[in-house]
Amino acid sequence: MEPTAPHPSAGAQRSAPPPVRLSLAPYQAVPGGFDGVWWPYSRNLSAELPGLVEAMHGAGSITRVIVGIEPWPDIPHEVAFGVHVVTAGWFVSGHEQHEIVLCSYLKGFRTLLVVPPATTPDAADWLMDTPVPVDGSRTATELLTLATTRFEKASQEAPRRTLHGVVGQGA
């Protein structure tokens, strides 16, 4: 009998997941507002949630999340990773859709603005660096619209370059 070669992926190591894109305010620093901003890589909650929950470790053991139903095409009732299980629920249409509420038995809950995965890096960076008003005067949708408008306008005003110079200016 001839020895068989191992399957090519048998010894291959999985690549590390990308870093979680998360910006947090100090705990309870923003009463009535957002506690931070999360920019997931995809709309796959089962794939994105483990990294977020692990990154939120300092906020207590997250046991439940509540998300907007519109941005997430498939919301599982539970997401298990390692020995940790997180129960998921959702807001129905009409409620703010670009939020995630993370619940911890010991530390209460934290509300994050969820930046859609397809958001431009400039707009997402601005949202992650912009302090949210403490009175909650801006909804998640208003903040996303403000950022998108701000950076779309800036990109439209910037001259477009080609290999031969600036478009629209005699090159």
Side-chain angles (χ1 to χ4, degrees):
M1 183 189 263
E2 292 182 48
T4 59
H7 189 274
S9 65
Q13 293 183 5
R14 290 184 176 172
S15 61
V20 175
R21 299 181 293 192
L22 178 66
S23 174
L24 291 174
Y27 187 64
Q28 295 184 335
V30 192
F34 292 104
D35 298 299
V37 179
W38 176 45
W39 185 22
Y41 293 92
S42 72
R43 295 193 180 277
N44 180 341
L45 190 60
S46 295
E48 297 289 344
L49 197 55
L52 176 62
V53 169
E54 288 176 11
M56 295 292 296
H57 181 70
S61 180
I62 305 299
T63 57
R64 180 169 177 77
V65 298
I66 307 167
V67 296
I69 198 168
E70 292 172 10
W72 304 99
D74 182 31
I75 301 173
H77 290 288
E78 290 183 335
V79 176
F81 49 100
V83 297
H84 201 89
V85 176
V86 176
T87 305
W90 53 87
F91 303 123
V92 293
S93 297
H95 190 279
E96 181 56 62
Q97 295 293 300
H98 298 284
E99 292 180 4
I100 184 169
V101 178
L102 302 138
C103 307
S104 166
Y105 285 127
L106 298 176
K107 300 239 181 167
F109 65 90
R110 299 201 56 174
T111 303
L112 306 178
L113 179 142
V114 178
V115 178
T119 303
T120 64
D122 287 340
D125 287 344
W126 182 81
L127 285 163
M128 294 182 90
D129 290 338
T130 300
V132 180
V134 294
D135 64 357
S137 62
R138 299 252 170 142
T139 67
T141 300
E142 289 171 337
L143 287 166
L144 289 167
T145 301
L146 180 66
T148 303
T149 303
R150 176 184 189 134
F151 289 97
E152 280 180 0
K153 183 179 178 184
S155 69
Q156 290 171 355
E157 291 174 354
R160 293 177 292 156
R161 299 206 176 267
T162 66
L163 294 176
H164 303 290
V166 177
V167 174
Q169 298 177 4

